Amino acid sequence: MNAGIERISFYTSRYALDLKTLAEARGVEWDKYRVGIGQEIMAVPPPDEDIVTMAASAAKPILDECGTEGINLVLFATESSIDQSKSAGLFVHGLLGLPARCRVVELKQACYSATLALRMAALAVNANPGSKALVLAADVARYEIGSAAEPTQGCGAVAMLVSTNPAILALDDASGLHAEDVMDFWRPNYRDEAVVEGKASTRVYLHTLQHAWQHYKEQTGRALTDFARCCYHSPFTNMAVKAHKTLLKADAVAGDEAGHLQRQVDESLRYNRIVGNTYTASLYICLASLLDHATEPLDGQPVSLFSYGSGCMGEFFSGRIASGYRDVLYTSRHRAQLADRTLLEVQQYEDIFNLTIPRDGWDYTFSQYRTGPFRLAGISAHKRRYERAD
Ligand code: HMG
């Protein structure tokens, strides 16, 4: 039995920064961001939004439609953890009224862990047909102001309902894996911003991709051209372009490179280009973008996915898009939230970035910004207080 994704929904902040204004402020040519990196807008989280509010907001449309019955596993993937002990999943479990007879845990391995969550969820529902799992991935990508990585920030969350009724994507069994101990990007516990060896990290990504692809090919005998579409972890959209070019070259695929990119990759990058890096959620926002933007029907078509998490862990895997998938998408909701964002001035973005929340754990109340259905109201006695925003 093939398990997979029954529903997919994503959420991002109501605030964003047009990178054209950032380029002007930093004295950088706009084309470096727009063409060289492939990013146009980045999502900026207001102070009362975090991984919990974003993940709960991503999951709510799914639960409003499908209910909570049968969900006995919640896996929360993130590298923007808000607590060293308690899983962010339990806050979401409370906000969404999920069943008490449920396993809830948080997973970490840079941007990769949502993929492990998805694979584990698929195994769990296959072992217990009728059960369902909720996979959540949420992150805030933060680098230092003025750094080369600054335009590759962003924030967002994805929620996926996983079951043996994969109305969107049935997962194949094969997985190409590559793990290696390398310091390309990391965030020590005492830092709020990641440390990154930027250009080296792009090389490690491509090296990992090639190893994972080779492992996948050994299991399946498939060629890159067998896939109707290819989705890649996208810290910035040109990374996915570099990734696809690398595999086209490795497989000596004949024909026009630009044509292959346009057909197999472009549709998956539309959302990431205007949201930015969302770490664990990035690959799955690519999948949502592909499903929402595909100009020809993809029913029954094979797609590939490459998940990369610095440090590093890569997995190349695949699935088949279900017949009738367009009937169960949240396309108009996704588009409406992106169209209804408040664009910040650079100074406002910097003020939000530099806002330091007291770390003594005592009473703090957040000003109310625009958020989704949930917000972080404050902190009291070391406890984060969440509330409905509407
Ligand atoms: P940079 O210093 O801006 O790099 O850093 P650059 O000067 O080489 O410019 C970037 C590109 O813009 C180049 O193209 C330039 O030629 C081009 P490329 O050679 O790459 O094809 N360019 C222009 N194009 C058109 N018009 C112009 C122009 N000027 C220059 N006028 C870097 C870029 C991505 C390194 C930086 O933003 C960074 O450090 N980002 C963060 C790290 C990152 O995203 N790494 C990706 C791989 S690691 C990963 O994916 C994992 C991650 O998601 C974390 C996790 O796993 O948790 C990050």
Side-chain angles (χ1 to χ4, degrees):
M1 193 184 304
N2 268 7
I5 302 170
E6 184 177 332
R7 292 289 186 280
I8 183 167
S9 160
F10 92 86
Y11 173 83
T12 185
S13 161
R14 321 305 313 131
Y15 296 89
L17 181 67
D18 186 334
L19 292 182
K20 192 172 185 183
T21 63
L22 185 68
E24 279 162 17
R26 300 292 178 253
V28 170
E29 281 183 41
W30 164 222
D31 270 359
K32 177 169 182 184
Y33 295 166
R34 188 178 67 86
V35 182
I37 289 174
Q39 291 303 124
E40 292 183 23
I41 298 175
M42 71 184 191
V44 177
D48 58 345
E49 189 93 85
D50 69 5
I51 53 165
V52 168
T53 61
M54 290 193 294
S57 297
K60 189 170 181 301
I62 298 180
L63 302 184
D64 287 349
E65 183 197 346
C66 305
T68 59
E69 202 183 324
I71 297 178
N72 64 7
L73 178 65
V74 176
L75 298 173
F76 197 121
T78 188
E79 56 176 301
S80 315
S81 201
I82 51 158
D83 195 284
Q84 290 285 25
S85 176
K86 178 169 172 167
S87 163
L90 280 162
F91 291 103
V92 176
H93 181 275
L95 286 171
L96 296 176
L98 288 161
R101 292 184 175 174
C102 188
R103 293 183 167 113
V104 184
V105 75
E106 185 174 307
L107 303 165
K108 178 181 73 182
Q109 178 16 62
C111 302
Y112 166 74
S113 60
T115 299
L116 180 70
L118 179 60
R119 307 298 293 191
M120 285 172 59
L123 290 173
V125 299
N126 258 341
N128 185 6
S131 70
K132 295 188 179 201
L134 185 62
V135 170
L136 304 168
D139 270 304
V140 177
R142 254 178 91 90
Y143 301 99
E144 278 164 13
I145 284 193
S147 67
E150 184 180 29
T152 66
Q153 297 176 107
C155 67
V158 157
M160 292 180 276
L161 187 64
V162 177
S163 76
T164 50
N165 172 30
I168 290 182
L169 184 78
L171 294 170
D172 299 333
D173 289 335
S175 264
L177 304 175
H178 184 77
E180 195 174 328
D181 179 6
V182 47
M183 296 301 277
D184 59 331
F185 164 108
W186 65 103
R187 185 167 68 83
N189 285 346
Y190 50 82
R191 282 181 64 105
D192 290 329
E193 290 86 38
V195 186
V196 61
E197 301 288 340
K199 287 180 188 156
S201 73
T202 63
R203 288 192 292 273
V204 180
Y205 175 119
L206 296 176
H207 159 90
T208 304
L209 167 66
Q210 289 176 82
H211 282 281
W213 169 234
Q214 181 59 35
H215 186 209
Y216 176 89
K217 274 203 301 189
E218 285 165 19
Q219 295 162 62
T220 60
R222 275 178 150 173
L224 197 60
T225 44
D226 291 342
F227 299 111
R229 299 290 186 275
C230 302
C231 298
Y232 296 91
H233 166 58
S234 297
F236 51 96
T237 63
N238 270 4
M239 189 72 240
V241 171
K242 285 178 198 286
H244 201 61
K245 283 183 180 171
T246 300
L247 294 193
L248 288 170
K249 197 170 162 203
D251 272 22
V253 177
D256 155 41
E257 188 183 72
H260 286 299
L261 277 162
Q262 195 189 7
R263 191 174 54 79
Q264 288 184 295
V265 181
D266 270 11
E267 291 154 342
S268 68
L269 301 179
R270 305 274 174 88
Y271 288 151
N272 292 59
R273 181 173 270 277
I274 56 170
V275 171
N277 197 354
T278 52
Y279 293 161
T280 51
S282 161
L283 172 63
Y284 300 97
I285 293 181
C286 284
L287 177 62
S289 176
L290 166 62
L291 299 167
D292 287 352
H293 291 104
T295 48
E296 58 189 51
L298 294 175
D299 305 65
Q301 295 293 317
V303 295
S304 71
L305 298 105
F306 175 64
S307 179
Y308 176 74
S310 285
C312 74
M313 180 66 227
E315 180 163 344
F316 192 102
F317 62 111
S318 57
R320 193 167 289 277
I321 295 184
S323 289
Y325 72 97
R326 279 171 296 181
D327 297 339
V328 295
L329 298 178
Y330 299 115
T331 309
S332 46
R333 181 184 287 271
H334 292 158
R335 289 192 176 152
Q337 66 166 335
L338 290 168
D340 181 30
R341 293 187 291 177
T342 302
L343 287 179
L344 300 168
E345 303 291 333
V346 172
Q347 187 61 54
Q348 291 173 308
Y349 142 71
E350 289 185 4
D351 289 346
I352 288 176
F353 186 98
N354 289 323
L355 185 87
T356 47
I357 298 162
R359 292 192 181 219
D360 59 11
W362 291 104
D363 283 359
Y364 186 81
T365 300
F366 290 93
S367 303
Q368 182 145 13
Y369 287 75
R370 293 182 66 211
T371 62
F374 305 100
R375 64 181 293 273
L376 175 61
I379 299 172
S380 341
H382 297 282
K383 293 176 194 157
R384 287 168 100 84
R385 288 187 287 107
Y386 294 98
E387 65 180 17
R388 291 291 304 243
D390 39 29

mmCIF file of all heavy atoms in Angstrom, residues 29 31-32 35-37 79 110-111 143 148-149 152 184-185 196 198-199 201-202 205 233 235-236 239 242 277 279 308-310, ligand 1:
data_model
loop_
_atom_site.group_PDB
_atom_site.id
_atom_site.type_symbol
_atom_site.label_atom_id
_atom_site.label_comp_id
_atom_site.label_asym_id
_atom_site.label_seq_id
_atom_site.Cartn_x
_atom_site.Cartn_y
_atom_site.Cartn_z
ATOM 1 N N GLU A 29 23.331 45.921 -6.694
ATOM 2 C CA GLU A 29 22.478 45.956 -7.895
ATOM 3 C C GLU A 29 21.276 45.049 -7.690
ATOM 4 O O GLU A 29 21.427 43.884 -7.276
ATOM 5 C CB GLU A 29 23.265 45.463 -9.120
ATOM 6 C CG GLU A 29 24.182 46.521 -9.693
ATOM 7 C CD GLU A 29 24.890 46.014 -10.946
ATOM 8 O OE1 GLU A 29 24.248 45.349 -11.768
ATOM 9 O OE2 GLU A 29 26.093 46.300 -11.048
ATOM 10 N N ASP A 31 19.565 43.490 -9.769
ATOM 11 C CA ASP A 31 19.665 42.252 -10.556
ATOM 12 C C ASP A 31 20.462 41.163 -9.844
ATOM 13 O O ASP A 31 20.314 39.989 -10.167
ATOM 14 C CB ASP A 31 20.282 42.542 -11.932
ATOM 15 C CG ASP A 31 19.202 42.881 -12.945
ATOM 16 O OD1 ASP A 31 18.011 42.868 -12.562
ATOM 17 O OD2 ASP A 31 19.543 43.165 -14.102
ATOM 18 N N LYS A 32 21.320 41.545 -8.913
ATOM 19 C CA LYS A 32 22.055 40.501 -8.175
ATOM 20 C C LYS A 32 21.061 39.649 -7.386
ATOM 21 O O LYS A 32 21.170 38.422 -7.351
ATOM 22 C CB LYS A 32 23.085 41.123 -7.242
ATOM 23 C CG LYS A 32 23.791 40.050 -6.421
ATOM 24 C CD LYS A 32 24.984 40.553 -5.680
ATOM 25 C CE LYS A 32 25.628 39.385 -4.948
ATOM 26 N NZ LYS A 32 26.729 39.769 -4.123
ATOM 27 N N VAL A 35 18.121 38.336 -10.339
ATOM 28 C CA VAL A 35 18.615 37.381 -11.347
ATOM 29 C C VAL A 35 19.669 36.446 -10.736
ATOM 30 O O VAL A 35 19.579 35.220 -10.857
ATOM 31 C CB VAL A 35 19.226 38.138 -12.561
ATOM 32 C CG1 VAL A 35 19.702 37.159 -13.621
ATOM 33 C CG2 VAL A 35 18.213 39.120 -13.136
ATOM 34 N N GLY A 36 20.667 37.019 -10.047
ATOM 35 C CA GLY A 36 21.797 36.224 -9.542
ATOM 36 C C GLY A 36 21.393 35.222 -8.468
ATOM 37 O O GLY A 36 21.839 34.072 -8.483
ATOM 38 N N ILE A 37 20.532 35.659 -7.534
ATOM 39 C CA ILE A 37 20.088 34.760 -6.455
ATOM 40 C C ILE A 37 18.710 34.185 -6.781
ATOM 41 O O ILE A 37 18.402 33.051 -6.426
ATOM 42 C CB ILE A 37 20.113 35.523 -5.108
ATOM 43 C CG1 ILE A 37 21.580 35.745 -4.702
ATOM 44 C CG2 ILE A 37 19.371 34.790 -4.007
ATOM 45 C CD1 ILE A 37 21.788 36.609 -3.483
ATOM 46 N N GLU A 79 14.205 24.016 12.746
ATOM 47 C CA GLU A 79 15.514 24.349 13.313
ATOM 48 C C GLU A 79 15.445 25.724 13.984
ATOM 49 O O GLU A 79 16.456 26.346 14.242
ATOM 50 C CB GLU A 79 16.602 24.286 12.256
ATOM 51 C CG GLU A 79 16.378 25.157 11.036
ATOM 52 C CD GLU A 79 17.541 25.108 10.074
ATOM 53 O OE1 GLU A 79 18.647 25.452 10.496
ATOM 54 O OE2 GLU A 79 17.335 24.741 8.901
ATOM 55 N N ALA A 110 18.681 20.555 10.501
ATOM 56 C CA ALA A 110 18.665 21.696 9.577
ATOM 57 C C ALA A 110 17.398 21.646 8.715
ATOM 58 O O ALA A 110 16.320 21.374 9.233
ATOM 59 C CB ALA A 110 19.954 21.741 8.769
ATOM 60 N N CYS A 111 17.543 21.866 7.398
ATOM 61 C CA CYS A 111 16.330 21.930 6.557
ATOM 62 C C CYS A 111 15.780 20.563 6.191
ATOM 63 O O CYS A 111 14.769 20.471 5.497
ATOM 64 C CB CYS A 111 16.627 22.681 5.261
ATOM 65 S SG CYS A 111 17.227 24.328 5.504
ATOM 66 N N TYR A 143 19.703 35.609 9.106
ATOM 67 C CA TYR A 143 21.151 35.827 8.964
ATOM 68 C C TYR A 143 21.428 37.265 9.384
ATOM 69 O O TYR A 143 20.509 38.079 9.488
ATOM 70 C CB TYR A 143 21.590 35.624 7.516
ATOM 71 C CG TYR A 143 21.290 34.255 6.954
ATOM 72 C CD1 TYR A 143 20.169 34.043 6.146
ATOM 73 C CD2 TYR A 143 22.125 33.178 7.209
ATOM 74 C CE1 TYR A 143 19.907 32.794 5.610
ATOM 75 C CE2 TYR A 143 21.869 31.919 6.681
ATOM 76 C CZ TYR A 143 20.754 31.735 5.890
ATOM 77 O OH TYR A 143 20.485 30.488 5.358
ATOM 78 N N ALA A 148 26.025 38.758 3.224
ATOM 79 C CA ALA A 148 25.681 38.275 1.872
ATOM 80 C C ALA A 148 24.426 37.403 1.915
ATOM 81 O O ALA A 148 23.684 37.317 0.939
ATOM 82 C CB ALA A 148 26.850 37.487 1.293
ATOM 83 N N ALA A 149 24.184 36.768 3.056
ATOM 84 C CA ALA A 149 23.037 35.856 3.176
ATOM 85 C C ALA A 149 21.726 36.602 3.466
ATOM 86 O O ALA A 149 20.646 36.007 3.390
ATOM 87 C CB ALA A 149 23.306 34.838 4.291
ATOM 88 N N THR A 152 18.558 36.117 1.572
ATOM 89 C CA THR A 152 18.047 34.737 1.507
ATOM 90 C C THR A 152 17.316 34.365 2.796
ATOM 91 O O THR A 152 17.201 33.185 3.126
ATOM 92 C CB THR A 152 19.164 33.711 1.187
ATOM 93 O OG1 THR A 152 20.090 33.654 2.276
ATOM 94 C CG2 THR A 152 19.912 34.071 -0.078
ATOM 95 N N ASP A 184 28.893 23.544 6.992
ATOM 96 C CA ASP A 184 28.583 24.534 5.951
ATOM 97 C C ASP A 184 27.623 25.597 6.465
ATOM 98 O O ASP A 184 27.604 26.729 5.980
ATOM 99 C CB ASP A 184 28.039 23.861 4.681
ATOM 100 C CG ASP A 184 26.774 23.033 4.906
ATOM 101 O OD1 ASP A 184 26.584 22.506 6.022
ATOM 102 O OD2 ASP A 184 25.994 22.888 3.948
ATOM 103 N N PHE A 185 26.814 25.236 7.456
ATOM 104 C CA PHE A 185 25.788 26.136 8.016
ATOM 105 C C PHE A 185 25.392 25.529 9.350
ATOM 106 O O PHE A 185 25.130 24.333 9.426
ATOM 107 C CB PHE A 185 24.604 26.166 7.047
ATOM 108 C CG PHE A 185 23.317 26.725 7.593
ATOM 109 C CD1 PHE A 185 22.851 27.971 7.191
ATOM 110 C CD2 PHE A 185 22.547 26.001 8.492
ATOM 111 C CE1 PHE A 185 21.659 28.478 7.673
ATOM 112 C CE2 PHE A 185 21.355 26.504 8.982
ATOM 113 C CZ PHE A 185 20.913 27.751 8.572
ATOM 114 N N VAL A 196 27.199 30.787 8.506
ATOM 115 C CA VAL A 196 27.161 30.078 7.228
ATOM 116 C C VAL A 196 28.404 30.351 6.405
ATOM 117 O O VAL A 196 28.901 31.471 6.363
ATOM 118 C CB VAL A 196 25.867 30.450 6.442
ATOM 119 C CG1 VAL A 196 25.802 31.927 6.125
ATOM 120 C CG2 VAL A 196 25.727 29.631 5.171
ATOM 121 N N GLY A 198 28.776 30.581 3.063
ATOM 122 C CA GLY A 198 27.799 30.685 1.977
ATOM 123 C C GLY A 198 28.141 29.927 0.707
ATOM 124 O O GLY A 198 27.426 29.017 0.303
ATOM 125 N N LYS A 199 29.259 30.305 0.084
ATOM 126 C CA LYS A 199 29.554 29.676 -1.219
ATOM 127 C C LYS A 199 29.905 28.206 -1.041
ATOM 128 O O LYS A 199 29.520 27.369 -1.862
ATOM 129 C CB LYS A 199 30.653 30.455 -1.937
ATOM 130 C CG LYS A 199 30.078 31.773 -2.445
ATOM 131 C CD LYS A 199 31.044 32.640 -3.157
ATOM 132 C CE LYS A 199 30.357 33.965 -3.413
ATOM 133 N NZ LYS A 199 31.245 35.083 -3.593
ATOM 134 N N SER A 201 28.658 26.296 1.126
ATOM 135 C CA SER A 201 27.401 25.564 1.388
ATOM 136 C C SER A 201 26.712 25.190 0.071
ATOM 137 O O SER A 201 26.108 24.122 -0.031
ATOM 138 C CB SER A 201 26.466 26.377 2.286
ATOM 139 O OG SER A 201 25.886 27.462 1.588
ATOM 140 N N THR A 202 26.833 26.044 -0.927
ATOM 141 C CA THR A 202 26.194 25.704 -2.208
ATOM 142 C C THR A 202 26.926 24.521 -2.866
ATOM 143 O O THR A 202 26.301 23.670 -3.484
ATOM 144 C CB THR A 202 26.155 26.908 -3.185
ATOM 145 O OG1 THR A 202 27.485 27.296 -3.503
ATOM 146 C CG2 THR A 202 25.421 28.092 -2.591
ATOM 147 N N TYR A 205 25.874 21.352 -0.996
ATOM 148 C CA TYR A 205 24.513 20.998 -1.433
ATOM 149 C C TYR A 205 24.596 20.177 -2.730
ATOM 150 O O TYR A 205 24.003 19.099 -2.848
ATOM 151 C CB TYR A 205 23.717 22.297 -1.633
ATOM 152 C CG TYR A 205 22.307 22.197 -2.186
ATOM 153 C CD1 TYR A 205 21.206 22.650 -1.463
ATOM 154 C CD2 TYR A 205 22.068 21.685 -3.460
ATOM 155 C CE1 TYR A 205 19.919 22.581 -1.974
ATOM 156 C CE2 TYR A 205 20.776 21.604 -3.991
ATOM 157 C CZ TYR A 205 19.719 22.065 -3.249
ATOM 158 O OH TYR A 205 18.434 21.996 -3.764
ATOM 159 N N HIS A 233 15.013 21.410 -2.565
ATOM 160 C CA HIS A 233 15.113 22.354 -1.453
ATOM 161 C C HIS A 233 15.639 23.673 -2.024
ATOM 162 O O HIS A 233 16.655 23.678 -2.733
ATOM 163 C CB HIS A 233 16.061 21.810 -0.376
ATOM 164 C CG HIS A 233 16.463 22.860 0.624
ATOM 165 N ND1 HIS A 233 15.515 23.533 1.376
ATOM 166 C CD2 HIS A 233 17.672 23.391 0.957
ATOM 167 C CE1 HIS A 233 16.144 24.417 2.147
ATOM 168 N NE2 HIS A 233 17.442 24.357 1.907
ATOM 169 N N PRO A 235 16.834 27.223 -0.867
ATOM 170 C CA PRO A 235 17.202 28.319 0.034
ATOM 171 C C PRO A 235 17.100 29.658 -0.691
ATOM 172 O O PRO A 235 16.888 30.698 -0.079
ATOM 173 C CB PRO A 235 18.652 27.995 0.403
ATOM 174 C CG PRO A 235 19.152 27.095 -0.689
ATOM 175 C CD PRO A 235 17.959 26.322 -1.160
ATOM 176 N N PHE A 236 17.298 29.611 -1.996
ATOM 177 C CA PHE A 236 17.016 30.718 -2.918
ATOM 178 C C PHE A 236 16.782 30.025 -4.253
ATOM 179 O O PHE A 236 17.305 28.924 -4.494
ATOM 180 C CB PHE A 236 18.163 31.752 -2.959
ATOM 181 C CG PHE A 236 19.526 31.161 -3.188
ATOM 182 C CD1 PHE A 236 20.078 31.097 -4.456
ATOM 183 C CD2 PHE A 236 20.254 30.640 -2.124
ATOM 184 C CE1 PHE A 236 21.328 30.539 -4.668
ATOM 185 C CE2 PHE A 236 21.512 30.074 -2.325
ATOM 186 C CZ PHE A 236 22.048 30.021 -3.596
ATOM 187 N N MET A 239 19.409 28.262 -6.436
ATOM 188 C CA MET A 239 20.019 27.022 -5.941
ATOM 189 C C MET A 239 19.336 25.820 -6.605
ATOM 190 O O MET A 239 20.004 24.854 -6.989
ATOM 191 C CB MET A 239 19.877 26.955 -4.419
ATOM 192 C CG MET A 239 20.657 25.844 -3.765
ATOM 193 S SD MET A 239 22.446 26.118 -3.750
ATOM 194 C CE MET A 239 23.014 24.701 -4.678
ATOM 195 N N LYS A 242 20.622 25.649 -10.134
ATOM 196 C CA LYS A 242 21.962 25.032 -10.151
ATOM 197 C C LYS A 242 21.843 23.521 -9.954
ATOM 198 O O LYS A 242 22.564 22.739 -10.576
ATOM 199 C CB LYS A 242 22.823 25.595 -9.011
ATOM 200 C CG LYS A 242 23.354 27.005 -9.209
ATOM 201 C CD LYS A 242 24.139 27.399 -7.944
ATOM 202 C CE LYS A 242 24.349 28.880 -7.794
ATOM 203 N NZ LYS A 242 25.337 29.457 -8.673
ATOM 204 N N ASN A 277 13.693 31.787 2.016
ATOM 205 C CA ASN A 277 14.008 30.477 2.595
ATOM 206 C C ASN A 277 13.113 30.225 3.802
ATOM 207 O O ASN A 277 12.914 31.119 4.642
ATOM 208 C CB ASN A 277 15.491 30.415 3.004
ATOM 209 C CG ASN A 277 15.956 28.969 3.205
ATOM 210 O OD1 ASN A 277 15.160 28.031 3.158
ATOM 211 N ND2 ASN A 277 17.248 28.794 3.426
ATOM 212 N N TYR A 279 13.620 27.110 5.344
ATOM 213 C CA TYR A 279 14.347 25.956 5.868
ATOM 214 C C TYR A 279 13.546 24.650 5.707
ATOM 215 O O TYR A 279 13.388 24.181 4.600
ATOM 216 C CB TYR A 279 14.743 26.199 7.325
ATOM 217 C CG TYR A 279 15.764 27.295 7.565
ATOM 218 C CD1 TYR A 279 15.911 27.881 8.830
ATOM 219 C CD2 TYR A 279 16.628 27.757 6.570
ATOM 220 C CE1 TYR A 279 16.874 28.869 9.107
ATOM 221 C CE2 TYR A 279 17.588 28.752 6.828
ATOM 222 C CZ TYR A 279 17.699 29.293 8.096
ATOM 223 O OH TYR A 279 18.634 30.274 8.348
ATOM 224 N N TYR A 308 17.496 18.804 1.326
ATOM 225 C CA TYR A 308 18.868 19.012 1.799
ATOM 226 C C TYR A 308 18.847 19.753 3.123
ATOM 227 O O TYR A 308 18.127 20.747 3.279
ATOM 228 C CB TYR A 308 19.676 19.843 0.783
ATOM 229 C CG TYR A 308 21.065 20.149 1.292
ATOM 230 C CD1 TYR A 308 22.038 19.153 1.321
ATOM 231 C CD2 TYR A 308 21.391 21.401 1.810
ATOM 232 C CE1 TYR A 308 23.302 19.402 1.841
ATOM 233 C CE2 TYR A 308 22.653 21.664 2.323
ATOM 234 C CZ TYR A 308 23.609 20.662 2.336
ATOM 235 O OH TYR A 308 24.858 20.906 2.859
ATOM 236 N N GLY A 309 19.622 19.272 4.075
ATOM 237 C CA GLY A 309 19.806 19.981 5.343
ATOM 238 C C GLY A 309 21.279 20.091 5.619
ATOM 239 O O GLY A 309 22.007 19.077 5.623
ATOM 240 N N SER A 310 21.758 21.311 5.821
ATOM 241 C CA SER A 310 23.186 21.525 6.051
ATOM 242 C C SER A 310 23.666 20.692 7.208
ATOM 243 O O SER A 310 22.927 20.340 8.119
ATOM 244 C CB SER A 310 23.428 23.010 6.358
ATOM 245 O OG SER A 310 23.331 23.750 5.174
HETATM 246 P P1 HMG B 1 26.970 36.307 -2.614
HETATM 247 O O1 HMG B 1 28.158 36.832 -1.925
HETATM 248 O O2 HMG B 1 25.872 37.257 -2.915
HETATM 249 O O3 HMG B 1 27.406 35.536 -3.962
HETATM 250 O O4 HMG B 1 26.388 35.117 -1.758
HETATM 251 P P2 HMG B 1 27.873 36.055 -5.382
HETATM 252 O O5 HMG B 1 28.597 37.343 -5.285
HETATM 253 O O6 HMG B 1 28.560 34.881 -6.007
HETATM 254 O O7 HMG B 1 26.501 36.375 -6.162
HETATM 255 C C1 HMG B 1 25.492 35.442 -6.242
HETATM 256 C C2 HMG B 1 25.120 35.256 -7.725
HETATM 257 O O8 HMG B 1 24.657 36.490 -8.235
HETATM 258 C C3 HMG B 1 26.291 34.829 -8.620
HETATM 259 O O9 HMG B 1 25.787 33.917 -9.571
HETATM 260 C C4 HMG B 1 26.666 36.122 -9.310
HETATM 261 O O10 HMG B 1 27.305 35.935 -10.566
HETATM 262 C C5 HMG B 1 25.306 36.756 -9.479
HETATM 263 P P3 HMG B 1 26.287 32.384 -9.594
HETATM 264 O O11 HMG B 1 27.743 32.425 -9.836
HETATM 265 O O12 HMG B 1 25.986 31.824 -8.225
HETATM 266 O O13 HMG B 1 25.471 31.762 -10.662
HETATM 267 N N1 HMG B 1 25.322 38.216 -9.673
HETATM 268 C C6 HMG B 1 24.556 38.850 -10.585
HETATM 269 N N2 HMG B 1 23.651 38.401 -11.471
HETATM 270 C C7 HMG B 1 23.010 39.305 -12.246
HETATM 271 N N3 HMG B 1 23.223 40.638 -12.166
HETATM 272 C C8 HMG B 1 24.123 41.137 -11.288
HETATM 273 C C9 HMG B 1 24.832 40.221 -10.442
HETATM 274 N N4 HMG B 1 25.762 40.361 -9.474
HETATM 275 C C10 HMG B 1 26.061 39.124 -9.029
HETATM 276 N N5 HMG B 1 24.314 42.447 -11.210
HETATM 277 C C11 HMG B 1 25.055 33.235 -1.173
HETATM 278 C C12 HMG B 1 25.362 34.276 -2.245
HETATM 279 C C13 HMG B 1 23.962 32.332 -1.680
HETATM 280 C C14 HMG B 1 26.319 32.421 -0.912
HETATM 281 C C15 HMG B 1 24.600 33.976 0.121
HETATM 282 O O14 HMG B 1 23.388 34.620 -0.118
HETATM 283 C C16 HMG B 1 24.445 33.041 1.305
HETATM 284 O O15 HMG B 1 25.406 32.780 2.037
HETATM 285 N N6 HMG B 1 23.189 32.514 1.567
HETATM 286 C C17 HMG B 1 22.923 31.614 2.687
HETATM 287 C C18 HMG B 1 23.489 30.226 2.477
HETATM 288 C C19 HMG B 1 22.681 29.411 1.488
HETATM 289 O O16 HMG B 1 21.538 29.690 1.199
HETATM 290 N N7 HMG B 1 23.300 28.308 0.990
HETATM 291 C C20 HMG B 1 22.629 27.438 0.060
HETATM 292 C C21 HMG B 1 23.099 25.978 0.191
HETATM 293 S S1 HMG B 1 22.995 25.399 1.874
HETATM 294 C C22 HMG B 1 21.300 25.078 2.107
HETATM 295 O O17 HMG B 1 20.536 25.051 1.203
HETATM 296 C C23 HMG B 1 20.863 24.840 3.517
HETATM 297 C C24 HMG B 1 20.145 26.001 4.170
HETATM 298 O O18 HMG B 1 18.814 26.104 3.656
HETATM 299 C C25 HMG B 1 20.123 25.822 5.699
HETATM 300 C C26 HMG B 1 19.667 24.491 6.295
HETATM 301 O O19 HMG B 1 19.866 23.402 5.764
HETATM 302 O O20 HMG B 1 19.161 24.558 7.430
HETATM 303 C C27 HMG B 1 20.808 27.337 3.918
#
